[in-house]
Amino acid sequence: MVENILELSHITKRFPGVVANDDISLGIRKGEIHALVGENGSGKSTLMSIVYGLYQADAGEIIFKGVPVRIGDPRTAIELGLGMVFQHFMLVDTLTVTENVILHAEPHNWGFVDYKRAVSGVEELATAYGLRVDARARVADISVGQEQRVEILKALYRQAEVLILDEPTAVLTPQETEELFQVMNNLREQGTTIVFITHKIKEVLTISDRVSVLRRGKLVGTRNTAETGQRELAEMMVGREVLLRVKKEPAKPAETVVSVAGLQVRDRRGMPAVKDVSLELRRGEVLGIAGVEGNGQQELVEAITGLTTPDTGQVLLRGEPIQALSPMKIKRRGVSYIPEDRHKRGLILEYSVADNLILGLHSDPPFVERYLFRNERQIKAHAARLVESYDVRPPNPDQIIRTLSGGNQQKVVVAREFSRSPEFLVCSQPTRGLDIGAIEFIHQEIIRQRDQGTGVLLVSAELDEILSLSDRIAVMFDGRIVAVLSIDEADEQRLGYLMLGGDPQQAAGEIESGVTAK
Amino acid sequence: MWWEYITYFINATVLAAALRMATPLIFASMGGIFSERSGVINIGLEGMMLTGAFMGMLVTFYTNNPWIGLMGALLSGGIVGMVHAVAAVRYKVDQVVSGTAINIFAVGFTVFMLRTIFDVAGTSPAVPRIRTVALPIVRHIPVVGEIIGYQNPMVYMALILVVVVHIFLFHTVWGLRLRSVGEHPKAADTVGINVFLTRYVAVITSGALAGLGGAYLSIAHLSRFGDEMTAGRGFIALAAMIFGKWTPFGALGAALLFGFADAVQMRLQEVGIPRHFVQMIPYILTMVALAGFIGRATPPKSIGKPYEKE
Ligand SMILES: Nc1ncnc2c1ncn2[C@@H]1O[C@H](COP(=O)(O)OP(=O)(O)OP(=O)(O)O)[C@@H](O)[C@H]1O
Ligand SMILES: [Mg+2]
């Protein structure tokens, strides 16, 4: 018998209207990496929040190292040796990395924080596990990848024996994911047990020892990773076979819908982020922007959608300049936008699903009647229709968005933006945090938009996504478009090479296709 | 000629007066910082000050000892703070509404008590007050001695308080935790900090400090209580806190500036600038600060939002 360090026994948790965890029994072995997968809203985060003491189970028992325990709050969990990195990070922006890591476990003399000891402690820990961070930087100034490492440090600093990682890779670039896996391997070698939540089957197969699948709050089963595969896991998760690559006809591009010329944009710190970018997008095609995050994609998208004003250059929508217009006016001209950070840009978390589904359309007919009043009937009907066709769960338009699972929040954004039948669609990381079933669905929808004559600009850190949806691919590096490839010329290797700043000529030479940019 | 003009407004006498005027603002704004850094808006500072002013007088009246009176002010301010905390933290009442209610209540309460206990309207009988002291050596330093050498002990207490609050907030374990609760209570919760307890303690402390600020008026600066004697100083303290970007030294600077405006008021009137114009200054500066003209004045992020667990 292998020893279980953590055992969940018959855990049930109900929220108004849903059973988030339905009689789940699960054993986590000491020293393993245990992947936990399942569709959006299947109850993964809830289950782990119960283990961490943030939620209380309605029924069931938690057994830690053979002893039944009651975990009433995170403090108890920490004392037991549990650590959790949340799907949406729990970091205080205005504090430094060190302050975040030591919070509530501060080294001190008579109550005075010993910052010297704190910084060196954090730095030592970071070095020991290969987690590169700047201990003195303010969290507001660091990248998402670093925030992730800070979160892991937080848990390790508290000497977590069991580390729960809730979708840690959703916001990471492929390189950062690689690094995270190394860290996870290190941790495993040093005896830490890891529960790893993800939507990506590839990652499960790469890193985990065992994998458990949840569906609609129930445990479907647990497998040894070595004895299972992509297909079985996908089926267990969704309950049917899933297309892992979207089926599509070749594009039939028509006239130009958007053209960008000589665009220069600065980032928040005032540094040039987009440097002389020019692009053409036709109706009926998907132009993918590949690139390691932070190479100007975000600023490019913000300039196109009116969220920032470019220094120089033009954005023409059907021949008319839009770069000086407000985001609202740009939207009214038929531009839809799926922002990469749904919490900051896409949703109002305290509003209902129905109200979020009309954001930006809220002042237009049919949602307004007699110039002033909300047309509740229309709003309801609109919500009911979208909730149904985009399979938002739970299917309750009145639910507050904050209480939806991450993936379902994303579906609400996508549903709203697609429902406006745009002429130009900007998708920034459209499937971040979504399960494979939902990804399949959204990919099909993007292709459908394309086939209806929409021009789609797709920005994604997922090469798979770029490759499976795009008709042409522009590679961005250091604020410039370094190459534009047709889909036949592109493959993972070549894109990867270009994304890291490789020479386009040489890329062409190496692959021996002879064709490059434009 | 110019020099004369300047020294007419800025001289040791005016600056010493500015310091006196700033003292109640300093106490209350330090209170404001405690509460708001923990994420609870405290618009009730005015009412807490007024209560402190009244109770300070009352306890002094019965004990004949203004120092015990000061304890009374501290305690009563803390109790009003507690009321605000229960409303805002436990019952998740809108914090602006709760604070406003406290302000209105305090006016009625003090007027009513004054009549019932002393059977007078307007002002209380005179009570002993905390007397001004002369600092031994400092007094003889030119200029500086004239400004700070001969002041009320509460003035010195206020200045020391600023340093203490600064050290508390930025150098101690509890200060760090307090700030984290005001910025991101859920993050604080997930590392095991008791968000509710932290906010309770912060808001009660806030009330106690505001109470001291009020007592300065009734048993240090003057030696009696008068109806509504705080006259908006709680709001000016709030303004000082915001203008000082929620930092102790910033708030001190702002309080001194507002105190100075108060002190030169009379002299400004002599050159034809109306008093009411001068009284607008703190609020105009606050709006300037909030509008971001002097770098952004960003409040603690979770301010005004009650924390809910699930
Ligand atoms: N605080 C809450 N109040 C009400 N319902 C909730 C709350 N938190 C979660 N739920 C519901 O419980 C269910 C499970 O949610 P959970 O967040 O655990 O899903 P998940 O598996 O983590 O999904 P995802 O992959 O999208 O993050 C969902 O239906 C969700 O809407
Ligand atoms: Mg989740």
Side-chain angles (χ1 to χ4, degrees):
Chain A
M1 254 263 325
V2 195
E3 186 193 348
N4 279 339
I5 185 164
L6 178 67
E7 237 178 273
L8 309 181
S9 154
H10 303 288
I11 298 280
T12 297
K13 174 73 183 173
R14 289 180 201 91
F15 285 118
V18 269
V19 185
N21 292 151
D22 190 355
D23 194 29
I24 293 179
S25 297
L26 179 64
I28 308 292
R29 291 176 191 163
K30 190 165 166 38
E32 73 172 342
I33 294 181
H34 195 119
L36 187 59
V37 297
E39 288 178 282
N40 296 128
S42 58
K44 307 177 296 290
S45 297
T46 303
L47 187 65
M48 288 304 125
S49 297
I50 289 172
V51 171
Y52 194 65
L54 219 50
Y55 294 162
Q56 300 304 310
D58 296 325
E61 204 178 26
I62 298 172
I63 298 151
F64 188 70
K65 295 184 175 166
V67 193
V69 286
R70 219 193 72 82
I71 305 177
D73 50 23
R75 185 181 204 148
T76 317
I78 293 167
E79 275 163 14
L80 286 172
L82 298 166
M84 179 154 174
V85 175
F86 292 87
Q87 190 169 359
H88 302 117
F89 295 156
M90 295 291 165
L91 295 174
V92 185
D93 265 9
T94 50
L95 300 183
T96 65
V97 167
T98 300
E99 286 172 324
N100 269 285
V101 172
I102 63 171
L103 191 59
H104 205 231
E106 308 88 349
H108 64 94
N109 308 314
W110 310 103
F112 292 94
V113 181
D114 187 342
Y115 279 106
K116 234 188 185 156
R117 214 162 88 214
V119 170
S120 66
V122 170
E123 279 171 348
E124 262 166 43
L125 196 64
T127 324
Y129 291 99
L131 292 153
R132 286 179 298 106
V133 289
D134 175 0
R136 287 166 213 272
R138 265 176 18 129
V139 167
D141 300 330
I142 64 179
S143 71
V144 205
Q146 289 178 41
E147 285 184 34
Q148 174 98 68
R149 296 198 275 273
V150 177
E151 283 282 21
I152 295 175
L153 279 174
K154 254 168 85 178
L156 297 178
Y157 189 81
R158 288 164 177 74
Q159 296 171 335
E161 288 176 69
V162 177
L163 184 60
I164 302 163
L165 303 173
D166 194 351
E167 288 191 41
T169 57
V171 292
L172 299 186
T173 64
Q175 286 78 0
E176 286 170 331
T177 302
E178 262 321 295
E179 288 175 24
L180 175 69
F181 284 177
Q182 286 207 343
V183 171
M184 286 168 67
N185 274 324
N186 281 347
L187 286 168
R188 174 167 51 185
E189 270 161 36
Q190 299 179 35
T192 309
T193 308
I194 299 176
V195 179
F196 170 59
I197 299 179
T198 184
H199 284 296
K200 297 172 193 156
I201 296 178
K202 242 198 219 164
E203 296 178 355
V204 173
L205 298 175
T206 317
I207 192 84
S208 74
D209 300 304
R210 292 195 304 154
V211 48
S212 293
V213 183
L214 297 187
R215 189 164 76 225
R216 304 197 174 205
K218 287 199 173 72
L219 181 72
V220 183
T222 300
R223 300 276 184 277
N224 289 324
T225 308
E227 292 158 17
T228 184
Q230 194 146 353
R231 224 175 233 204
E232 186 189 22
L233 287 177
E235 236 189 282
M236 282 169 84
M237 279 161 76
V238 187
R240 62 176 163 86
E241 227 179 297
V242 192
L243 283 176
L244 293 163
R245 198 151 183 162
V246 63
K247 282 209 188 84
K248 60 171 189 185
E249 304 289 307
K252 299 184 197 72
E255 79 276 12
T256 301
V257 59
V258 174
S259 70
V260 173
L263 204 65
Q264 310 251 21
V265 190
R266 285 171 195 278
D267 64 17
R268 269 178 208 95
R269 285 178 222 119
M271 303 299 290
V274 175
K275 302 167 189 167
D276 193 20
V277 163
S278 300
L279 284 174
E280 292 261 311
L281 178 66
R282 295 166 179 280
R283 282 181 191 286
E285 72 164 349
V286 177
L287 173 62
I289 307 258
V292 177
E293 267 187 288
N295 274 285
Q297 302 93 317
Q298 196 188 337
E299 287 80 5
L300 174 65
V301 164
E302 286 179 0
I304 290 176
T305 51
L307 289 163
T308 56
T309 318
D311 281 355
T312 53
Q314 266 198 325
V315 182
L316 300 179
L317 178 67
R318 278 170 281 132
E320 288 171 41
I322 57 167
Q323 74 272 9
L325 299 182
S326 69
M328 189 68 174
K329 287 206 174 115
I330 293 177
K331 286 203 141 184
R332 286 219 169 106
R333 293 190 180 198
V335 178
S336 273
Y337 171 41
I338 299 173
E340 66 167 14
D341 185 334
R342 54 181 170 254
H343 281 186
K344 258 188 218 143
R345 289 262 154 86
L347 298 167
I348 298 182
L349 290 175
E350 300 305 321
Y351 281 15
S352 68
V353 170
D355 285 347
N356 270 289
L357 282 170
I358 59 162
L359 281 186
L361 307 163
H362 55 277
S363 53
D364 297 334
F367 303 120
V368 174
E369 49 184 0
R370 282 168 286 145
Y371 304 106
L372 194 57
F373 299 96
R374 286 161 56 92
N375 187 333
E376 295 295 344
R377 211 162 29 89
Q378 288 291 343
I379 295 172
K380 268 223 169 79
H382 176 76
R385 200 170 62 241
L386 292 182
V387 161
E388 148 101 49
S389 58
Y390 286 80
D391 191 26
V392 176
R393 282 182 229 161
N396 170 14
D398 295 325
Q399 185 141 346
I400 301 301
I401 277 278
R402 184 172 46 77
T403 65
L404 257 56
S405 76
N408 281 294
Q409 292 176 358
Q410 182 72 2
K411 288 188 204 164
V412 170
V413 178
V414 170
R416 179 184 69 220
E417 296 302 318
F418 282 13
S419 72
R420 325 159 54 115
S421 5
E423 292 186 51
F424 174 37
L425 173 63
V426 182
C427 303
S428 198
Q429 323 289 357
T431 57
R432 174 167 279 176
L434 289 188
D435 66 53
I436 46 173
I439 291 176
E440 176 194 31
F441 173 75
I442 285 177
H443 283 179
Q444 281 167 351
E445 286 297 309
I446 290 178
I447 293 303
R448 220 179 51 166
Q449 291 284 337
R450 179 198 80 169
D451 292 344
Q452 286 169 2
T454 306
V456 182
L457 185 71
L458 169 74
V459 178
S460 176
E462 300 289 332
L463 274 186
D464 284 346
E465 183 161 86
I466 293 273
L467 283 166
S468 92
L469 292 178
S470 308
D471 302 305
R472 286 189 302 142
I473 299 172
V475 182
M476 235 178 141
F477 176 73
D478 190 26
R480 297 174 202 280
I481 303 276
V482 292
V484 181
L485 313 174
S486 76
I487 187 67
D488 315 317
E489 305 168 295
D491 60 37
E492 199 156 327
Q493 263 177 333
R494 187 163 175 189
L495 287 177
Y497 179 73
L498 290 167
M499 279 162 62
L500 293 174
D503 175 11
Q505 302 303 322
Q506 204 174 330
E510 261 171 27
I511 315 280
E512 286 176 8
S513 71
V515 200
T516 42
K518 291 205 171 169
Chain B
M1 165 59 193
W2 270 111
W3 181 244
E4 268 173 39
Y5 244 130
I6 291 171
T7 50
Y8 179 68
F9 291 114
I10 305 178
N11 57 47
T13 319
V14 172
L15 291 180
L19 201 51
R20 285 196 292 277
M21 296 306 192
T23 297
L25 304 180
I26 296 173
F27 276 106
S29 61
M30 292 306 124
I33 288 175
F34 262 94
S35 176
E36 303 223 334
R37 280 278 184 170
S38 82
V40 180
I41 296 176
N42 194 352
I43 215 171
L45 283 178
E46 174 81 9
M48 297 172 187
M49 278 180 94
L50 192 62
T51 311
F54 179 80
M55 293 305 287
M57 177 279 296
L58 189 69
V59 174
T60 308
F61 180 81
Y62 285 119
T63 61
N64 256 324
N65 183 339
W67 291 100
I68 302 180
L70 210 54
M71 291 296 113
L74 185 95
L75 213 68
S76 61
I79 291 171
V80 182
M82 172 88 136
V83 172
H84 186 45
V86 171
V89 180
R90 169 126 175 70
Y91 294 103
K92 308 185 198 315
V93 174
D94 186 294
Q95 296 166 8
V96 172
V97 172
S98 155
T100 307
I102 283 175
N103 290 338
I104 296 170
F105 168 82
V107 172
F109 172 76
T110 51
V111 169
F112 171 74
M113 292 298 275
L114 191 64
R115 294 201 182 179
T116 339
I117 298 175
F118 299 103
D119 199 20
V120 292
T123 45
S124 77
V127 295
R129 67 183 187 104
I130 297 174
R131 299 214 162 268
T132 303
V133 294
L135 286 189
I137 298 153
V138 181
R139 184 164 49 126
H140 301 297
I141 307 173
V143 189
V144 177
E146 285 177 67
I147 300 172
I148 63 166
Y150 190 72
Q151 288 281 14
N152 197 285
M154 283 196 79
V155 174
Y156 304 125
M157 281 165 58
L159 295 176
I160 294 168
L161 178 68
V162 174
V163 179
V164 171
V165 174
H166 174 84
I167 292 176
F168 175 86
L169 268 187
F170 298 107
H171 294 279
T172 71
V173 166
W174 307 286
L176 181 63
R177 294 175 189 173
L178 180 80
R179 285 184 288 142
S180 75
V181 166
E183 289 287 334
H184 196 334
K186 187 146 192 206
D189 191 7
T190 55
V191 294
I193 295 172
N194 188 332
V195 174
F196 298 126
L197 183 67
T198 308
R199 288 190 169 171
Y200 268 111
V201 173
V203 179
I204 292 170
T205 309
S206 175
L209 292 178
L212 289 184
Y216 171 82
L217 298 172
S218 64
I219 57 175
H221 190 63
L222 300 176
S223 50
R224 50 163 48 90
F225 175 84
D227 282 349
E228 293 182 59
M229 81 183 302
T230 45
R233 284 188 180 80
F235 292 105
I236 298 184
L238 214 54
M241 173 195 74
I242 295 168
F243 195 59
K245 299 183 181 174
W246 287 266
T247 65
F249 286 115
L252 170 68
L256 288 175
L257 184 68
F258 298 161
F260 175 74
D262 217 359
V264 291
Q265 187 167 289
M266 302 266 269
R267 287 167 195 240
L268 284 173
Q269 266 180 71
E270 283 165 31
V271 296
I273 299 173
R275 184 164 61 99
H276 294 103
F277 183 80
V278 179
Q279 285 171 349
M280 288 165 24
I281 292 174
Y283 303 104
I284 293 175
L285 288 180
T286 303
M287 283 189 262
V288 168
L290 283 175
F293 286 114
I294 48 153
R296 278 202 63 69
T298 341
K301 224 171 271 141
S302 78
I303 197 159
K305 290 182 210 139
Y307 182 59
E308 291 184 66
K309 274 224 156 205
E310 270 185 23

